[in-house]
Amino acid sequence: MEKKYWNPYFGGVVLGTMLFLVFAIASQGFGASGTFSRATAQLLVNSDKSWLDNAYIASYFRHGGSALNNWTVIETIGILFGGFVSALLAGRLMIRPDKSPDYPVAKRFLWAFIGGMIIEFSTRLTRGCTSGQGLDGMATFSVGTWIFMFAVFGSALIFSPLFRKQWVGGEKKEGGE
Amino acid sequence: MDFILPLYKNALISPEANMFFAVVMGFAFGFVLERTGFTRSQYIADTFYFRSLAVPKIMGVTVITATTWFIIFAWMGWIDLSALFTPKTYVWPYLFGGMLFGLGMVMSGYCPGTAVAGLGTGKSDALVFLLGLFGGAFLYFLLYPMIADFASSSNLGVLKLHDLFGGNEYISYILTVLLESGIIGFLVLLQKLTNKGEK
């Protein structure tokens, strides 16, 4: 049987204490978006060295060695296993897409892919995602992070009607009361 | 004064130990993301339809908790807050990039971190999302020569809340707690007023 999710306030206290610990030890916070940018750069350079002419890609190889020899990349591997072990222990490990029940899987995958592209592109402009820019920046009192957070949630609210069917489903079930 | 924390910047742990620590803390992060429901795209998206306020509640309390520890440790003289990595402020790139991010977030229901943990729990849409991240990075590299100037424009450097008002980190801390608790309180009130029937 599935366990219930943690109370959000309790979850916040646990996560906040972890965020403090990670800063206190590693001098930096959580992150994830950089991992995928670095992995993409590494794949491109492996396939063709001329990609190093790209100034953005080159910045990952400044210190020589691999673009993947990076704190956030290693931490991201930990995130994967943490999610796996927690789901396993909670009885929530299951291969399935997440969406409202009646929504077609193919469309769900299409939005997941395009959304992923948009997000990684935008994190290059914003120097991080909701972890590496959002949580880390708010915890270190950064003004820019608040600009980022209001833009993210404001924009998501504005665009939310377009994706209502995917998440909430139709307003009324056909043949319902 | 000699600070002890952060350990890595003060060379009190080796780079190897720091990398080991990265796996451990990443694991803990992924574990908590799953425990709080953040590995489910639909649960995240519920935020934008006022069906759940778990996301702003957790983010807000996380920031309040972390900064409270910071302020206590700084007050005791144990941690050098200026040594913590702080993102620089690029006004227009953050505003535009953030709006783009918000569109991607309501479209996909994930952020990079939650999708990695989500993949660990078996979510197939998280895997597709993660493949999309590679595509987005590729697109950025291709367009970089054209957008490099915009990406580094309006750079205000490391700018903290108290730099706007004068004062020290204590001012930033008070502002942060007020902002976070204000946002949570406002949303809870709004949810009560707008959809009494829904959970």
Side-chain angles (χ1 to χ4, degrees):
Chain A
M1 192 173 136
E2 276 193 15
K3 285 186 184 174
K4 280 184 76 173
Y5 287 128
W6 281 354
N7 171 291
Y9 298 113
F10 172 72
V13 172
V14 174
L15 196 55
T17 302
M18 279 164 42
L19 187 61
F20 162 72
L21 282 174
V22 77
F23 267 115
I25 298 173
S27 325
Q28 61 174 309
F30 292 118
S33 61
T35 299
F36 295 91
S37 174
R38 285 175 175 274
T40 309
Q42 186 67 53
L43 284 171
L44 289 171
V45 170
N46 286 352
S47 72
D48 187 348
K49 288 272 180 291
S50 68
W51 280 105
L52 285 169
D53 296 340
N54 183 294
Y56 198 90
I57 293 178
S59 70
Y60 288 146
F61 294 89
R62 260 187 318 220
H63 307 292
S66 165
L68 298 175
N69 183 15
N70 170 269
W71 194 92
T72 303
V73 173
I74 307 296
E75 174 239 15
T76 305
I77 298 167
I79 298 177
L80 179 70
F81 285 104
F84 170 74
V85 170
S86 174
L88 185 69
L89 296 178
R92 286 193 283 257
L93 194 63
M94 198 184 359
I95 296 177
R96 68 175 184 90
D98 207 35
K99 60 183 183 58
S100 86
D102 301 331
Y103 199 76
V105 177
K107 280 176 88 175
R108 169 70 199 113
F109 282 173
L110 180 72
W111 292 132
F113 187 82
I114 298 174
M117 278 190 77
I118 292 175
I119 281 191
E120 188 63 24
F121 186 92
S122 59
T123 58
R124 299 306 86 209
L125 289 173
T126 61
R127 279 76 174 171
C129 53
T130 26
S131 306
Q133 174 65 247
L135 288 180
D136 300 357
M138 285 193 293
T140 51
F141 310 131
S142 169
V143 174
T145 304
W146 282 97
I147 297 174
F148 168 74
M149 291 304 292
F150 278 113
V152 168
F153 281 86
S155 156
L157 279 174
I158 289 168
F159 289 111
S160 63
L162 300 176
F163 301 98
R164 194 177 177 93
K165 274 193 184 145
Q166 180 177 215
W167 304 122
V168 183
E171 282 306 299
K172 283 192 177 109
K173 288 254 194 296
E174 283 159 58
E177 304 115 37
Chain B
M1 189 182 347
D2 278 350
F3 293 107
I4 304 165
L5 302 174
L7 291 178
Y8 185 60
K9 269 281 168 66
N10 292 320
L12 294 170
I13 54 169
S14 66
E16 291 77 18
N18 199 33
M19 282 296 189
F20 172 73
F21 179 72
V23 183
V24 175
M25 281 315 279
F27 182 92
F29 188 36
F31 192 93
V32 172
L33 286 175
E34 202 286 329
R35 287 290 139 150
T36 48
F38 273 37
T39 49
R40 283 193 49 210
S41 49
Q42 196 186 10
Y43 194 66
I44 299 284
D46 275 348
T47 313
F48 309 119
Y49 305 97
F50 282 91
R51 288 154 59 89
S52 162
L53 294 178
V55 173
K57 281 177 185 168
I58 292 178
M59 288 193 87
V61 176
T62 295
V63 171
I64 291 172
T65 306
T67 50
T68 302
W69 285 118
F70 283 149
I71 281 300
I72 293 172
F73 273 63
W75 183 60
M76 302 294 284
W78 292 338
I79 192 167
D80 178 11
L81 292 183
S82 64
L84 305 180
F85 175 77
T86 308
K88 287 179 184 156
T89 292
Y90 298 84
V91 178
W92 295 113
Y94 282 14
L95 198 63
F96 176 73
M99 290 180 71
L100 214 53
F101 191 107
L103 170 64
M105 194 167 162
V106 70
M107 186 185 282
S108 66
Y110 286 114
C111 323
T114 61
V116 171
L119 175 64
T121 74
K123 296 289 179 305
S124 52
D125 56 335
L127 177 64
V128 176
F129 173 87
L130 293 175
L131 293 174
L133 295 183
F134 286 90
F138 182 63
L139 192 65
Y140 190 82
F141 298 156
L142 286 181
L143 296 180
Y144 186 69
M146 276 170 276
I147 56 178
D149 286 341
F150 173 70
S152 56
S153 66
S154 54
N155 178 8
L156 302 182
V158 173
L159 184 70
K160 304 210 173 191
L161 292 174
H162 62 262
D163 295 330
L164 298 178
F165 304 98
N168 51 25
E169 325 266 351
Y170 294 100
I171 301 292
S172 279
Y173 172 68
I174 293 166
L175 279 171
T176 300
V177 171
L178 287 176
L179 271 166
E180 297 286 5
S181 49
I183 289 168
I184 294 173
F186 174 73
L187 291 174
V188 168
L189 188 71
L190 206 62
Q191 191 189 35
K192 280 214 171 91
L193 292 174
T194 51
N195 51 5
K196 289 173 183 136
E198 265 178 309
K199 53 176 176 173

